[in-house]
Amino acid sequence: MAVYAPRIPGPARLVVLVSGSGSNLQALLDATADTAYGAEVVAVVADRDGILGLERAEKAGVPTHVVAVKAYEDRAAWDAALTDTVAAYQPDLVVSAGFMKIVGPVFLARFEGRTVNTHPALLPSFPGAHGVRDALAYGAKVTGCTVHFVDAGVDTGPIIAQGVVAVEDGDDADGGDALHERIKTVERSLLVDIVGRLAREGYRIEGRKVRLGS
Ligand code: GAR
């Protein structure tokens, strides 16, 4: 069982992991501008260079790091480097916000129970890298997003909250881009809400159940 009590005094320390445009990161950065939110982004770590997510962090004055798989001898070395990079910031919570890599055993040994991921589908349906496209191809009538704790599986960890988005008839036309944008609108506010509540209220994870409040 993992338990977290709010950091008193002071805001919870967040490290955010990104791989792309970082609109979820931006939503968190915007929320943390208000001290009442109860959390601050202390670093942003990416698995690749040249992404908008890193630009957003730099613009906000947040330290950034790139830990690319290809810079390491193997996946285990990457896992250790990612863990060390994140650990240097002593985060209370790690937020995987569009981070398109599966973290390894060293990372989990250190941060399982403190790492939150957001996924663009209603888990356990459509896990993996193509949650939006897969829901659309399956013919689902509703999909959405899931904020969950990360475990050793692919999008299998305890669910914290979900948001529902209707699939519309025209969504096949652009391969799911418009659907993904509608999901991301819901996802950003859900992620901001949940991360803030985890930070302010604390939580416990009992098996698959996540209980907010300390
Ligand atoms: C989000 O929709 C997130 O759920 C998804 O990537 C997008 C990132 O958007 N993550 C995954 O698909 C992970 N399997 P953003 O870079 O604009 O925040």
Side-chain angles (χ1 to χ4, degrees):
M1 182 175 80
V3 179
Y4 171 72
R7 179 183 277 267
I8 298 171
R13 297 171 61 81
L14 310 178
V15 170
V16 182
L17 309 179
V18 295
S19 297
S21 78
S23 70
N24 282 283
L25 163 66
Q26 188 65 57
L28 288 167
L29 288 168
D30 294 347
T32 55
D34 181 351
T35 54
Y37 184 66
E40 62 179 340
V41 179
V42 294
V44 170
V45 180
D47 66 330
R48 63 199 73 183
D49 232 328
I51 55 170
L52 185 54
L54 287 170
E55 273 180 46
R56 292 180 193 271
E58 281 155 19
K59 208 166 169 188
V62 173
T64 62
H65 297 269
V66 175
V67 185
V69 172
K70 62 174 188 281
Y72 296 88
E73 197 178 325
D74 54 22
R75 200 80 183 191
W78 173 78
D79 180 29
L82 180 71
T83 306
D84 287 347
T85 304
V86 172
Y89 289 93
Q90 300 188 307
D92 296 300
L93 293 168
V94 181
V95 183
S96 164
F99 188 61
M100 302 306 278
K101 290 282 181 300
I102 304 298
V103 296
V106 172
F107 188 95
L108 285 173
R110 188 90 182 234
F111 296 115
E112 187 168 5
R114 282 194 285 157
T115 303
V116 172
N117 179 50
T118 179
H119 180 74
L122 293 174
L123 295 172
S125 293
F126 314 117
H130 306 291
V132 179
R133 198 179 74 189
D134 293 349
L136 197 55
Y138 196 83
K141 299 297 185 194
V142 293
T143 184
C145 52
T146 302
V147 178
H148 66 97
F149 282 105
V150 171
D151 68 5
V154 178
D155 301 323
T156 52
I159 291 172
I160 312 168
Q162 296 183 296
V164 176
V165 174
V167 179
E168 291 173 6
D169 285 345
D171 280 336
D172 284 307
D174 62 5
D177 290 349
L179 175 59
H180 198 176
E181 283 310 313
R182 295 204 306 284
I183 291 171
K184 282 171 73 167
T185 300
V186 174
E187 185 177 30
R188 287 189 284 266
S189 59
L190 188 71
L191 184 68
V192 164
D193 179 49
I194 290 301
V195 168
R197 289 190 64 190
L198 294 171
R200 291 187 306 274
E201 299 173 23
Y203 62 87
R204 57 183 60 225
I205 307 170
E206 297 166 351
R208 290 209 56 83
K209 304 287 182 196
V210 179
R211 318 255 183 227
L212 292 168
S214 48

